Amino acid sequence: MAEYTVLIVGDSDRWWTSMSLAERKGGYAKYGEFSEALAKGGHKILSGGELTQTSEARSIPAGGGPVTEGPYAESVEQVGGFYQIETDDLDGLLECCQIIASVGEGIEVRPNVTADQRPS
């Protein structure tokens, strides 16, 4: 089995600032549908999380330095959440990801580095 990280990218603040309660409930329902589709497809959710607003982020520059408020990159699109998925069916996982993409999120799926890929 391979492990993948599914990154949810977009205007994560819109969930907190511009979406109505009904829109948020509808969006969360799609995430429930995503979880169900993963289970039906034999994909295993290892972990995941939804991130708070970007205004609550704290960043440290590469090489160290002072901590600043806000996200590292000044961009409209930010990572708003993630899933760690174990599966042997990348195509099936990508098909499931279409469910959450339908609520206006960008999705990036990357294989996780395995122990045998690291130098010992």
Side-chain angles (χ1 to χ4, degrees):
M1 288 271 202
E3 290 183 15
Y4 295 88
T5 298
V6 176
L7 297 172
I8 302 156
V9 182
D11 180 3
S12 58
D13 288 346
R14 77 184 169 102
W15 286 76
W16 305 105
T17 60
S18 64
M19 291 177 76
S20 69
L21 181 58
E23 289 171 320
R24 287 180 65 196
K25 285 182 178 182
Y28 285 123
K30 284 290 187 184
Y31 280 87
E33 185 181 326
F34 172 66
S35 295
E36 290 173 14
L38 289 171
K40 286 179 186 174
H43 315 286
K44 181 179 179 185
I45 298 173
L46 301 175
S47 67
E50 177 182 8
L51 304 178
T52 60
Q53 297 179 60
T54 57
S55 63
E56 295 184 32
R58 300 297 178 265
S59 299
I60 300 171
V67 176
T68 58
E69 294 184 1
Y72 182 74
E74 294 294 327
S75 170
V76 173
E77 292 190 340
Q78 298 289 340
V79 174
F82 69 96
Y83 287 88
Q84 296 288 324
I85 306 292
E86 184 178 68
T87 186
D88 280 330
D89 180 10
L90 176 58
D91 289 335
L93 171 59
L94 294 171
E95 185 61 33
C96 290
C97 289
Q98 293 289 342
I99 296 168
I100 50 178
S102 73
V103 298
E105 308 291 8
I107 306 298
E108 181 179 332
V109 178
R110 270 199 241 173
N112 294 357
V113 173
T114 61
D116 62 327
Q117 292 172 314
R118 292 187 192 104
S120 49

